Amino acid sequence: MDTSLYINGTLDRYTNGSVSIPRMFGKIALEEAVGSTLWDAYQTLPVTAQVAGYKGVPFDDSIGADIISRLNNVPARITSMDQSGIGYVIVSLTSPGIEGVFDTANATRLATASNDEMYKNYVQAYPDRFGFFATVPMQDPEAAATELERAVTQLGAKGVLINGYSQIGSADNYTVQYLDEKACDPFWKKVDELNVPVYLHPRPPPPSQQLLYGNGAYPMLAHAAYGFGAETAGHALRLMLSGLFDRYPNVQIILGHCAESLPFLIHRIDTRLAIGVPGADGPYNKTMKHYLQNNFYATLAGIRRLSTVRDTIEEMGEDRVMFSVDYPYESNEDAADWFDYVEGLGVATKEKLAWRNAERIFNVTSG
Amino acid sequence: MDTSLYINGTLDRYTNGSVSIPRMFGKIALEEAVGSTLWDAYQTLPVTAQVAGYKGVPFDDSIGADIISRLNNVPARITSMDQSGIGYVIVSLTSPGIEGVFDTANATRLATASNDEMYKNYVQAYPDRFGFFATVPMQDPEAAATELERAVTQLGAKGVLINGYSQIGSADNYTVQYLDEKACDPFWKKVDELNVPVYLHPRPPPPSQQLLYGNGAYPMLAHAAYGFGAETAGHALRLMLSGLFDRYPNVQIILGHCAESLPFLIHRIDTRLAIGVPGADGPYNKTMKHYLQNNFYATLAGIRRLSTVRDTIEEMGEDRVMFSVDYPYESNEDAADWFDYVEGLGVATKEKLAWRNAERIFNVTSG
Amino acid sequence: MDTSLYINGTLDRYTNGSVSIPRMFGKIALEEAVGSTLWDAYQTLPVTAQVAGYKGVPFDDSIGADIISRLNNVPARITSMDQSGIGYVIVSLTSPGIEGVFDTANATRLATASNDEMYKNYVQAYPDRFGFFATVPMQDPEAAATELERAVTQLGAKGVLINGYSQIGSADNYTVQYLDEKACDPFWKKVDELNVPVYLHPRPPPPSQQLLYGNGAYPMLAHAAYGFGAETAGHALRLMLSGLFDRYPNVQIILGHCAESLPFLIHRIDTRLAIGVPGADGPYNKTMKHYLQNNFYATLAGIRRLSTVRDTIEEMGEDRVMFSVDYPYESNEDAADWFDYVEGLGVATKEKLAWRNAERIFNVTSG
Amino acid sequence: MDTSLYINGTLDRYTNGSVSIPRMFGKIALEEAVGSTLWDAYQTLPVTAQVAGYKGVPFDDSIGADIISRLNNVPARITSMDQSGIGYVIVSLTSPGIEGVFDTANATRLATASNDEMYKNYVQAYPDRFGFFATVPMQDPEAAATELERAVTQLGAKGVLINGYSQIGSADNYTVQYLDEKACDPFWKKVDELNVPVYLHPRPPPPSQQLLYGNGAYPMLAHAAYGFGAETAGHALRLMLSGLFDRYPNVQIILGHCAESLPFLIHRIDTRLAIGVPGADGPYNKTMKHYLQNNFYATLAGIRRLSTVRDTIEEMGEDRVMFSVDYPYESNEDAADWFDYVEGLGVATKEKLAWRNAERIFNVTSG
């Protein structure tokens, strides 16, 4: 008999004001950023600009430095994963990534090189601990399709991560392209053919649409706290409204941050759309709710609140929600301590979120 | 003995595919729009433009006509309230209202006239059924304060409703003013002094910030379904970040649509802000969560989903959440049928949402 | 484009005080009682005694007559299933069934005959609509094992249903045998070998233990409303404490009525047991929670309350909870109207409860 | 500005496998047992017998000794309260207390002496930290009413706690009296007049009704883990069925352990009762649900599971649920660590459970 179930001696105890955490080992995380050594040579938004200095983001300097230092520090990442019970991570190139590269030719070269680098530094070096999402040059959707195919079939990429809209042109004169636009169809055709998910990652709204900047009153940081997610939710709605999921009903999109609040709002979006003129707001055939429940996965990246997670599960189903962190922008340890301890999800549900769903979707195992 | 509790004769029955609703009578609703007969003479956005034709919103024509016809139809409104178990309604001028009037002098005159009209048509005519939220000319915050005082002390206004930012100038050349801007302080000083709540109602984001218009791909309706709320959530965050609630800790803001998704997201907004430089993102002293829990009420206007409501209650407390409809843009009957029947909130909680909270906050009773 | 998503003409409507139900077709139900034509000849508790007249149960006469009339009325059952969206039912002999037969030889003969009858009247006659749970003579566990094997392998029984303890002896002098007693091991060995679930159905506590009869103050009906379930929960705990699931870790028990409140209480049962002397309260090796989560399924028979269902799912996992009715003691239509309409479970979860779990567990399909 | 909101330097950290608890100070606890120095002289069930040795309960010896040592150790209790953030406790005489005293005259004398002792040792000595529930001799309901009045009006008792049924007679020949019996009416008349709540505390079912003892297979401890609560739930139902709350609609009963699972089951109890003959199962006029929602409070004594608490709140309302521990049978520290940290209840709700409800109901304050 396993007597470890029993309390011996006394129910009384001295509290040190903390509770120990029953660490769940083997978690899988999906929204985990890495940098690139290739970027500094280019005249576009550098990866590091996202962290410190981008339009004067008032990040605490030491936090900024700390995050940058950890983007490419593989041993530190593995140590942190070990401490946090994270067995397997699918890495991806940090925002804005290739999508922020103005020049299409540069974007294409950088995407290929970045994929090779992620493969070599993570997947090949630690096949039991890392997979990767490819990055592709959406500035040229045909090239994006080609690179996606190479990354998936030759490098074993688990899918592709896109940082929102792409900037095409030059820093002085560029257009913004969303994924629902007609030009992107070759990309979606390939996604459908390869049957891999697309992680739609937040990026700041285009400068002209930056909500909290209203009259320049508040800095980028406040914007990041809310505006990035709103931009991404809007982008996801554009995909739904465009009829993409009617043309490709098997395409699967992953959204972080519990689907960027769409579970909270989707029923209302549908009731509002239903009072319109059929067809006037997009060539879609089903409800937004249907698409959210059949063409989207959600991750917990950045989320540490029970009701937000329950709300997401209730809308999307517990087979479509997955743990994630957003390392190094969030702490593996904080995310794991919260997730491993939190009540109210049930053991079976937590195991699905922690690893079972990711194992099924990405065909991986996490010991 | 009350034998109505008992089933007689058989447990078997023929189902007609519907369930009867135990109507909860005496509900109070707060986000209920009325039009104005005064508007057509002015060269600004007419009230009706919001409903049909505004930048080509593809509303179904008959729905648009139906909504317009009901904005000012008091008997039809009362009939609908009776059928829906809504005992008391606080009406307000429909969006964009005075906030969309470019010329400050016009705005001031229209606000006064509109308040007089709402008082006469609703409160004076049916004192047991209607209260009203004042409208004020935020284009001139001192004038707004003066009109607010008049409306509250002389007409019995239950508070004030503001349709987001105000447009100041002319249709060709105007600026946009948010409520957190320094110029608005005289208004907030008066709000604090009068101790009445401010309903922050959605309106479309400024044209330059219209997310879903990205490249003009999708119409206004899709925008309305998501973008209005995102704009309003951002506006509410601006208020928090501005330190308004540190200066006026008793000021209370009402947000519709279950606080525009802030309950789902507020914990994450706080963790993101906490990595910044103190003071750089606004002169606030407390967490956004603290403000949401102490300076905001939420209504159910437009919401008919249990998990969204539960999530909101969990964050804000069941004493800060109230039933509402958004008539005539939403159906009183649909809102009531959903609310009166829905399980999972508990009897005591439903009574608070339905009337007890509003009775306490607005000092009204609803038979 | 499917324009049925759109509302045409008006948001206003006349409410008739009811909401229509989006009927979920293809539900599967498992705690569904049938009678037997074989019983009247025996001098033991007749099946019908359970319904009307048993120790003076003050059932409404017409309800009692109605229930009896429907126990064996197959066409009425199918009509009711059709109206309720129930595609497939696993029937079982109504309580107390064979377990209430004092004489062991009679019990054995009746069990065999009852299984043959259920097979012929339901499974053979309507193979697409009905399966059955075998009944076995637990008065002789070896005979029970033999009959179980015959029923499963020759008649296709989907498992076995046991009405709690068995009475062994004569009406004047009998003993009561619970399923955890040593004598029952041959039965469990066969259950394990055949890999079929055991539905543990409530029956009244033994006369000496009838809680609400305290001083004879209240009638059987009050007892049925609470005491039957308490007896069954206690019986289930006896199975756990006996070490049964350590010896046969694959054995699966089905409990009705959301596992008879064990999800609500199991954590407390474990903390209380943990302060005892290991081994003194039974030769079990794991926590009660572990057994509940790994060796039990729950059905919704008799349950129409969201929080009870959510609580059960949270403890046992949504893959272990299944719809059921308890026809004809409950109304198919009422159960279906509640289940099909209720919010807060999520579409994916409801489909699992409605049919997916049962399809997987019993290897059936329900069109 | 309060910069404590900010993280400085790094998001990365070394986890020690624990999370710190934001201790909620000022909690109030209500099901907190004390012993009596008066008991050893009597030939009835001693208080200590409940803990160790009662019918061979296999408590771990050192746990039993530890619990006994803490029943009357006031300084240790206060230290534990301080460590756990419990500001105020309402103590009561431990089970079975006066209810287990066979001789009526002894019961009456002991009740008076026990109340005087609790008043002197707790309330008078530490008025800011302790109140008490009176104990009364239900063996003589008139005497119970008299003693209740004295305890409330002269000693400031916050109400009365009853350990289930009372044993009247001698150890060899006694009857069992439940609180719904006609003889108890003088007690209820006084309770109603004094307007104080009655805590209905579990005790073991009468020996003849001990469910899990079925055939003597399992010991008292297993019974305690489930059977005590089932007995108490049944006793509460007897009160409802007896029409007590129709005669005294203001009488309020407190149940521990989240109302002994009644929130989970009460809807089903009502649907089962509704098929009976009106009046046959008791002279009650309303549903059991109505009584539970209007005549009962629940405490968390012994409960550390979120879904159980949420389920209870949903049925009874958050204004009727209160924190408690069951010290020294449970650990103050464990209860506080769980309650203070658990998510999913919301800040406002937790404050009500922690102290606001108890402050209102018992007219106390807890700093």
Side-chain angles (χ1 to χ4, degrees), chain B residues 104-122:
Chain B
T104 298
N106 276 352
T108 304
R109 277 195 301 272
L110 272 171
T112 301
S114 296
N115 289 331
D116 288 342
E117 197 179 68
M118 283 192 284
Y119 172 72
K120 180 167 137 286
N121 291 351
Y122 293 89

Side-chain angles (χ1 to χ4, degrees), chain A residues 37-238:
Chain A
T37 57
L38 305 166
W39 287 80
D40 295 339
Y42 289 88
Q43 79 234 47
T44 185
L45 295 179
V47 172
T48 56
Q50 185 74 0
V51 179
Y54 179 48
K55 287 198 159 210
V57 179
F59 268 95
D60 177 277
D61 278 348
S62 62
I63 290 180
D66 167 62
I67 289 173
I68 292 169
S69 79
R70 287 188 286 123
L71 273 169
N72 292 323
N73 187 335
V74 184
R77 188 183 292 262
I78 290 173
T79 300
S80 176
M81 288 163 61
D82 289 342
Q83 286 177 6
S84 308
I86 299 172
Y88 188 85
V89 153
I90 302 179
V91 297
S92 51
L93 191 61
T94 193
S95 170
I98 304 300
E99 291 75 13
V101 176
F102 300 116
D103 180 76
T104 298
N106 276 350
T108 303
R109 278 196 300 274
L110 272 170
T112 301
S114 296
N115 289 332
D116 287 342
E117 197 179 68
M118 285 192 284
Y119 173 71
K120 181 168 134 284
N121 291 352
Y122 293 89
V123 180
Q124 199 173 42
Y126 306 93
D128 294 342
R129 304 305 296 275
F130 294 110
F132 83 109
F133 286 127
T135 184
V136 297
M138 284 307 300
Q139 293 84 346
D140 178 349
E142 292 280 5
T146 302
E147 177 57 16
L148 179 60
E149 180 156 27
R150 186 189 76 93
V152 169
T153 59
Q154 298 183 24
L155 307 181
K158 295 298 184 187
V160 53
L161 182 143
I162 310 273
N163 290 294
Y165 59 88
S166 295
Q167 288 161 296
I168 307 177
S170 69
D172 298 328
N173 181 24
Y174 65 90
T175 58
V176 159
Q177 175 190 268
Y178 284 86
L179 289 166
D180 57 293
E181 298 187 40
K182 200 170 193 58
C184 296
D185 201 60
F187 168 72
W188 291 113
K189 196 153 176 283
K190 185 59 70 180
V191 165
D192 184 56
E193 178 191 320
L194 293 170
N195 194 24
V196 290
V198 177
Y199 205 121
L200 183 59
H201 188 278
R203 70 176 296 194
S208 66
Q209 299 177 22
Q210 291 178 354
L211 181 74
L212 291 177
Y213 265 121
N215 297 318
Y218 300 106
M220 190 62 192
L221 186 59
H223 198 172
Y226 176 71
F228 289 21
E231 159 74 16
T232 310
H235 198 162
L237 283 175
R238 288 178 61 133

Side-chain angles (χ1 to χ4, degrees), chain C residues 181 208 215 272 307 329, chain D residues 181 208 215 272 307 314 329:
Chain C
E181 297 187 42
S208 66
N215 295 317
R272 290 289 86 185
S307 286
Y329 301 102
Chain D
E181 298 187 39
S208 65
N215 296 318
R272 289 290 86 185
S307 286
E314 200 259 308
Y329 301 103

Side-chain angles (χ1 to χ4, degrees), chain C residues 58 176 181 208 211 214-215 218-219 231 242 263-264 267 272 277 280 304-305 307-308 311 314-315 329-330, chain D residues 58 176 181 208 211 214-215 218-219 231 238 242 263-264 267 272 277 280 304-305 307-308 311 314-315 329-330:
Chain C
V176 159
E181 297 187 42
S208 66
L211 183 71
N215 295 317
Y218 301 106
E231 159 74 15
S242 75
F264 192 93
H267 78 292
R272 290 289 86 185
V277 177
R304 299 198 289 270
R305 178 174 177 264
S307 286
T308 296
D311 200 347
E314 199 259 310
E315 191 61 48
Y329 301 102
E330 300 273 354
Chain D
V176 158
E181 298 187 39
S208 65
L211 181 72
N215 296 318
Y218 301 105
E231 158 74 15
R238 288 178 61 134
S242 75
F264 192 94
H267 78 292
R272 289 290 86 185
V277 177
R304 299 198 290 271
R305 178 173 178 266
S307 286
T308 296
D311 199 347
E314 200 259 308
E315 191 62 49
Y329 301 103
E330 298 273 354

Side-chain angles (χ1 to χ4, degrees), chain B residues 6 27 56 66 97 107 123-124 126 147 150 171 205 247-248 256 259 345:
Chain B
Y6 287 81
K27 292 190 293 293
D66 166 62
V123 181
Q124 199 174 41
Y126 306 91
E147 176 57 15
R150 186 188 76 93
R247 286 180 286 136
Y248 300 111
L345 295 173

